[in-house]
Each structure stands twice: as structure tokens, then as C-alpha cells.
């Protein structure tokens, strides 16, 4: 192969060298462009994931903070505590339950972004009072709570 290359005229040698250099340059540029493109795509993707993680983190923090506020209201609300302490079926119990429903509806209205589908309070006997959004399905949740209470 070398012998044939030496026998070629100077113009042909120059042409072959130029063609080889051209293809080598194209190959190097292609590899470089691919490397830079992949690096750019990875940077964009990682930034996107960082932003999504920050949004999820902020949303989770907001949910936890709001849950803490709701729990504090539930623990300090006199009507809710009266309902939790009075286990007998009585007129007072019904009055307390209605007051608790109003309080929970109010709390539900305070969070219109609907981080919570409803707010429910269970007593130790499995009775439930909840906000208006699931009140019609209360019996299902009471049964579920009773199953949990029996197993734990």
C-alpha cells in the first residue's frame, strides 16, 4: 500500500491527504457536537428535575404546615373536645357533633386549594365527624376505622 502511495503523483497525494483530513475533521466535529449536545441535554434535564423536586418539596412542606395548623385547631377547639369526651348518645352529643361539623366545614373552607379532600375526626369508639365533602360517605370510613382499631 505504501509503495502505491509513493508512486502516485503529487496532485493525487494532495487530493487523498485532503480527503482524509476532511473526513477526519468531519468525524471530530461530529463527536464534539454530539458530546456538547448530550451535555446540554443532561444539564437541561437535571435542572428540570431540580425544579420539580423543589416544587414537590415546597408543596409537601405546605401540606405538613397546614396539617399542623388544622391539628392544633382540632386539639384546642372546645366543641371538638366536648364531642370527643362525651361518648353517650344524647342531645348534648348531637349538639356537639353539629358544632364539630360546622368547625370542620369552616376549616375545609380555609384551604380552598384542596390539598385535603376532607377533614375527619374519629373518637375512640369509632364514631366519625367530617367536613362536608365526604359526609355522605361517613359510614364507609367509620367501618374502615373500626377495622384498624380492632387490629391495632
Amino acid at each position: 500500500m505504501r509503495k502505491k502511495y509513493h508512486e502516485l503523483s503529487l496532485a493525487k497525494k494532495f487530493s487523498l491527504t485532503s480527503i482524509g483530513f476532511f473526513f477526519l475533521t468531519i468525524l471530530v466535529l461530529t463527536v464534539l457536537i454530539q458530546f456538547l449536545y448530550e451535555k446540554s441535554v443532561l444539564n437541561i434535564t437535571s435542572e428540570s428535575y431540580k425544579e420539580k423536586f423543589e416544587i414537590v418539596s415546597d408543596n409537601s412542606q405546605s401540606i405538613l404546615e397546614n396539617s399542623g395548623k388544622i391539628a392544633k385547631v382540632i386539639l384546642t377547639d372546645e366543641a371538638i373536645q366536648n364531642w370527643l369526651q362525651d361518648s353517650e348518645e344524647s342531645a348534648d352529643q348531637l349538639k356537639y357533633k353539629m358544632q364539630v361539623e360546622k368547625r370542620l366545614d369552616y376549616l375545609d373552607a380555609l384551604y380552598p386549594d384542596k390539598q385535603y379532600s376532607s377533614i375527619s375526626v374519629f373518637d375512640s369508639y369509632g364514631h366519625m365527624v367530617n367536613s362536608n365533602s365526604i359526609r355522605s360517605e361517613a359510614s364507609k370510613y367509620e367501618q374502615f376505622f373500626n377495622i384498624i382499631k380492632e387490629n391495632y
Side-chain angles (χ1 to χ4, degrees):
M1 181 105 179
R2 261 182 188 226
K3 187 176 178 186
K4 285 190 176 187
Y5 180 76
H6 288 294
E7 292 175 0
L8 294 175
S9 67
L10 189 59
K12 287 184 180 181
K13 286 180 183 178
F14 182 72
S15 295
L16 285 175
T17 305
S18 296
I19 291 171
F21 182 73
F22 176 75
F23 281 120
L24 183 62
T25 303
I26 295 295
L27 179 67
V28 168
L29 284 175
T30 303
V31 170
L32 181 65
I33 289 171
Q34 182 180 359
F35 173 76
L36 293 175
Y37 176 75
E38 287 177 358
K39 187 175 179 181
S40 174
V41 167
L42 286 175
N43 285 339
I44 291 170
T45 304
S46 66
E47 288 298 319
S48 174
Y49 280 117
K50 284 179 187 177
E51 288 174 10
K52 286 179 184 179
F53 178 76
E54 287 175 6
I55 290 169
V56 168
S57 177
D58 291 345
N59 195 21
S60 299
Q61 184 67 27
S62 173
I63 289 171
L64 291 174
E65 288 173 1
N66 290 339
S67 297
K69 291 175 187 175
I70 290 171
K72 185 176 181 180
V73 169
I74 289 172
L75 289 172
T76 58
D77 188 270
E78 185 178 343
I80 294 173
Q81 293 306 311
N82 287 337
W83 177 77
L84 288 170
Q85 291 174 1
D86 190 5
S87 62
E88 297 177 17
E89 293 291 328
S90 65
D92 284 342
Q93 178 70 357
L94 185 59
K95 180 182 80 171
Y96 293 146
K97 183 176 181 177
M98 291 171 63
Q99 289 175 346
V100 171
E101 286 176 348
K102 286 181 185 176
R103 297 288 198 302
L104 294 179
D105 288 344
Y106 174 73
L107 286 174
D108 201 23
L110 281 178
Y111 299 95
D113 56 357
K114 288 298 179 192
Q115 290 176 328
Y116 310 98
S117 61
S118 71
I119 302 169
S120 301
V121 177
F122 292 88
D123 69 5
S124 58
Y125 301 101
H127 302 112
M128 180 177 84
V129 177
N130 52 30
S131 59
N132 197 23
S133 50
I134 65 164
R135 197 167 289 146
S136 62
E137 300 176 20
S139 62
K140 294 178 191 175
Y141 295 100
E142 284 182 8
Q143 291 170 359
F144 181 69
F145 179 75
N146 286 331
I147 292 170
I148 292 173
K149 189 175 78 169
E150 288 171 6
N151 292 323
Y152 298 98

